[in-house]
Amino acid sequence: MGDLIDGKEVSQHIRGEVTTEVDKLKKETGITPGLAAVLVGENPASEIYVRNKRKACEKVGIYSEEYKLPTETPENELLSLIDKLNRNEKIHSILVQLPLPDQIDSTKILRSVSPLKDVDGFHPENVGLLIEGNPRFVSCTPNGIIKMLDFYNIEIKGKEAVVVGRSNIVGKPTAILLLHRHATVTICHSRTKPLDEVTRRADILVAAIGRPKFVTADMVKEGVVVIDVGINRNSEGKLIGDVDFENVKEKASYITPVPGGVGPMTISMLLWNTLESAKMRATKS
Ligand code: NDP
């Protein structure tokens, strides 16, 4: 059986570092990093997520504000809130929780967030900088994946990396980061044929699909490193990943559990990016 990549443990280290750095920044510059989370509509999963983010901020000394808007909020109202947050000196990072209700154009909203406060790295300017190899903010989940691999001294350079999923939030930026670290990267999606032939080539396999237990033991090779990004709920409401953990772990050299793998890392990287954003402001003022 492979070793467990413990996202909680790696997170503890990162949050410890963030706490120290936040403290130092406050003492040296008087700046307290600040994060604003915006949630539109009633989405229990998003509410839990936002609550966890608020608690995590408190623990590391980051100031946070939370905006909960009703489902029927018109687009222009959300745009005007973001405009205010863009100009608010206390706020260094703005997080708009997705998905947004149908009457709101998500692309327009994500583009309205100042690229200097876009700690999720979704703004086209930040996407461009990432592809160019000079990232300002790297989206939190992909950044967390790389941090976990580094923490366990897992070599990326020269490895065959396969990312299943091509979303702008996870799949694409993860593939770019692995490429920058000199992996040979293949991105798979719902039209990849035959998928299992590609996944069996992987030394590092990232599953970001959104389908419970989709990656089975016959789809991976012996010794593979498996990063499971998926968050799904089974019929009993229990969280499960995109990987058939029980069987795949027997072939893997390293594997992330769900929960306790990528999830905690995403929030830690959000704290990290908020701190980075505040530091950038400090050097400019
Ligand atoms: P999306 O739904 O945006 O993307 C899913 C991707 O999986 C798509 O590219 C899709 O292909 C691909 N896919 C779907 N079915 C198949 C299939 N049968 N074979 C191959 N590829 C397939 O999801 P996200 O990227 O936003 O999220 C993925 C998962 O990660 C979800 O479970 C989400 O909840 C979780 N997540 C977890 C986070 C964390 O912190 N742990 C953070 C963000 C997300 P195509 O493009 O062709 O449709």
Side-chain angles (χ1 to χ4, degrees), residues 110-129:
L110 296 180
R111 286 183 184 191
S112 73
V113 173
S114 160
L116 298 173
K117 297 190 179 187
D118 162 48
V119 286
D120 266 332
F122 294 159
H123 192 284
E125 186 178 313
N126 288 326
V127 175
L129 287 170

Side-chain angles (χ1 to χ4, degrees), residues 46-58:
S46 296
E47 281 190 31
I48 294 171
Y49 213 48
V50 168
R51 198 172 60 223
N52 287 344
K53 281 169 188 165
R54 192 186 58 225
K55 281 195 210 149
C57 282
E58 271 170 28

Side-chain angles (χ1 to χ4, degrees), residues 5-268:
I5 298 182
D6 185 347
K8 282 193 205 149
E9 192 197 344
V10 189
S11 276
Q12 290 284 325
H13 280 261
I14 290 173
R15 292 183 197 195
E17 239 177 278
V18 173
T19 309
T20 312
E21 292 284 311
V22 166
D23 204 39
K24 198 167 143 214
L25 187 72
K26 281 184 194 169
K27 282 189 185 125
E28 287 176 359
T29 66
I31 293 175
T32 301
L35 171 128
V38 182
L39 184 63
V40 188
E42 312 273 320
N43 182 330
S46 296
E47 281 190 31
I48 294 171
Y49 213 48
V50 168
R51 198 172 60 223
N52 287 344
K53 281 169 188 165
R54 192 186 58 225
K55 281 195 210 149
C57 282
E58 271 170 28
K59 279 200 177 144
V60 299
I62 290 178
Y63 166 77
S64 74
E65 290 180 1
E66 211 176 288
Y67 295 86
K68 278 192 195 163
L69 308 179
T71 312
E72 59 283 2
T73 302
E75 189 179 88
N76 60 359
E77 224 171 87
L78 182 56
L79 284 169
S80 100
L81 170 63
I82 292 171
D83 181 49
K84 273 191 209 131
L85 294 171
N86 281 341
R87 287 183 282 112
N88 184 338
E89 294 270 307
K90 275 160 71 180
I91 298 300
H92 305 93
S93 83
I94 302 169
L95 190 116
V96 182
Q97 194 65 44
L98 300 174
L100 290 166
D102 290 346
Q103 78 278 12
I104 297 177
D105 178 348
S106 302
T107 307
K108 195 168 167 187
I109 295 299
L110 296 180
R111 286 183 184 191
S112 73
V113 173
S114 160
L116 298 173
K117 297 190 179 187
D118 162 48
V119 286
D120 266 332
F122 294 159
H123 192 284
E125 186 178 313
N126 288 326
V127 175
L129 287 170
L130 173 68
I131 290 176
E132 191 188 56
N134 293 306
R136 180 191 280 135
F137 300 117
V138 181
S139 0
C140 300
T141 304
N143 208 0
I145 292 173
I146 301 294
K147 290 269 174 202
M148 282 198 294
L149 294 172
D150 285 345
F151 189 85
Y152 284 85
N153 291 316
I154 295 167
E155 178 94 84
I156 301 173
K157 186 169 67 182
K159 298 293 176 188
E160 187 93 38
V162 174
V163 180
V164 189
R166 58 174 162 181
S167 71
N168 291 333
I169 299 174
V170 188
K172 281 187 213 162
T174 302
I176 297 290
L177 290 181
L178 290 165
L179 184 63
H180 288 159
R181 294 289 295 273
H182 311 298
T184 302
V185 185
T186 308
I187 308 177
C188 302
H189 45 78
S190 63
R191 268 75 149 203
T192 302
K193 277 185 196 160
L195 180 66
D196 59 342
E197 266 180 32
V198 185
T199 54
R200 268 196 296 271
R201 288 208 308 259
D203 300 312
I204 299 171
L205 179 69
V206 179
I209 310 157
R211 291 180 170 227
K213 297 191 181 183
F214 183 84
V215 175
T216 48
D218 61 314
M219 291 171 73
V220 302
K221 73 174 178 193
E222 235 13 274
V224 63
V225 174
V226 180
I227 305 289
D228 188 352
V229 183
I231 299 180
N232 311 286
R233 278 188 198 277
N234 68 8
S235 50
E236 292 117 53
K238 202 175 143 221
L239 283 187
I240 45 170
D242 286 349
V243 175
D244 177 6
F245 180 83
E246 286 309 318
N247 295 309
V248 172
K249 78 174 191 310
E250 300 303 329
K251 284 176 99 177
S253 58
Y254 285 95
I255 186 164
T256 60
V258 176
V262 177
M265 290 302 295
T266 298
I267 295 187
S268 298

